[in-house]
Amino acid sequence: MPHKALIVIDVQNDFCPGGALAVAGGDEIVPLVNHLIASHDHVVMTQDWHPAGHSSFASSHEGKAPFETIEADYGPQTLWPDHCVQGSAGAEFHAGLEWTRAELVIRKGFRREIDSYSAFFENDHATPTGLAGYLKDRGLTEVVLCGLATDFCVGFSALDAVTCGFKTSVVMPACRAIDLEGSLAAMTEKMRAAGVHLL
Ligand code: VGL
Ligand code: ZN
């Protein structure tokens, strides 16, 4: 327990019903996430945090619609509706989230030209957010993940956590998925194969 950190991924208004990139049932996880927060000694949260005109927004690309894929310098990038714009109400944590015990909030996706699903690396899989260094400096060797969305930000964070050498679990009932063209099943299988403990 002293070496374990709970990482709560992107429990923000825009990923909940009524939000710009609503995940079905996204708000249903809040009570369970709050229970996990109460039962962990160390809590970290992430906040998707894009500048207006971000390159992951379909609106930034002439003739493109949300959920289409483009080829970015760093590989394929899904395009999204404008969401989690820095300082907007949609970027705020869900009002029911017990965020006060968070020891760190990592903001990600703030560089206009690159998206960041993972809490550890941006979508080039090379630019670090600083989270791995922070956890290691503090002697935290085990991470437990929950939040939104299972098949994007939670999944990529879990895969990177394993790569960075952390013992990694995902509390699946405390996550909800976007599920684009089978992305939930694909990510679940990737996590299992990588050695993520799916709880
Ligand atoms: C997310 C798509 C775009 C997520 C963030 O939190 O899973 N998905 N930005
Ligand atoms: Zn985003």
Side-chain angles (χ1 to χ4, degrees), residues 67-197:
F67 311 109
E68 287 183 31
T69 301
I70 58 162
E71 202 57 39
D73 296 340
Y74 50 83
Q77 169 69 48
T78 304
L79 297 177
W80 305 104
D82 292 23
H83 66 280
C84 296
V85 173
Q86 295 171 355
S88 68
E92 287 171 14
F93 290 128
H94 183 283
L97 183 70
E98 281 287 347
W99 53 265
T100 50
R101 285 189 56 251
E103 295 173 348
L104 176 75
V105 178
I106 283 273
R107 287 177 172 162
K108 60 185 181 60
F110 51 73
R111 289 186 180 85
R112 188 177 307 269
E113 298 311 323
I114 183 166
D115 203 4
S116 188
Y117 294 149
S118 163
F120 293 93
F121 294 100
E122 303 196 18
N123 283 11
D124 60 0
H125 303 293
T127 306
T129 63
L131 180 57
Y134 170 88
L135 295 171
K136 284 177 185 175
D137 269 1
R138 294 196 54 202
L140 300 166
T141 55
E142 183 173 348
V143 296
V144 178
L145 292 105
C146 62
L148 305 171
T150 326
D151 41 348
F152 287 91
C153 292
V154 176
F156 282 99
S157 297
L159 296 174
D160 282 346
V162 172
T163 303
C164 291
F166 297 99
K167 183 176 177 206
T168 307
S169 314
V170 174
V171 185
M172 294 296 270
C175 301
R176 289 293 184 276
I178 296 174
D179 206 12
L180 282 184
E181 294 165 3
S183 57
L184 175 59
M187 181 56 83
T188 303
E189 184 44 41
K190 267 193 191 171
M191 290 194 285
R192 198 185 309 278
V196 175
H197 303 270

Side-chain angles (χ1 to χ4, degrees), residues 45-66:
M45 294 186 179
T46 67
Q47 206 172 12
D48 212 36
W49 195 251
H50 302 305
H54 191 254
S55 58
S56 76
F57 296 169
S59 63
S60 303
H61 303 269
E62 186 80 42
K64 295 287 176 190

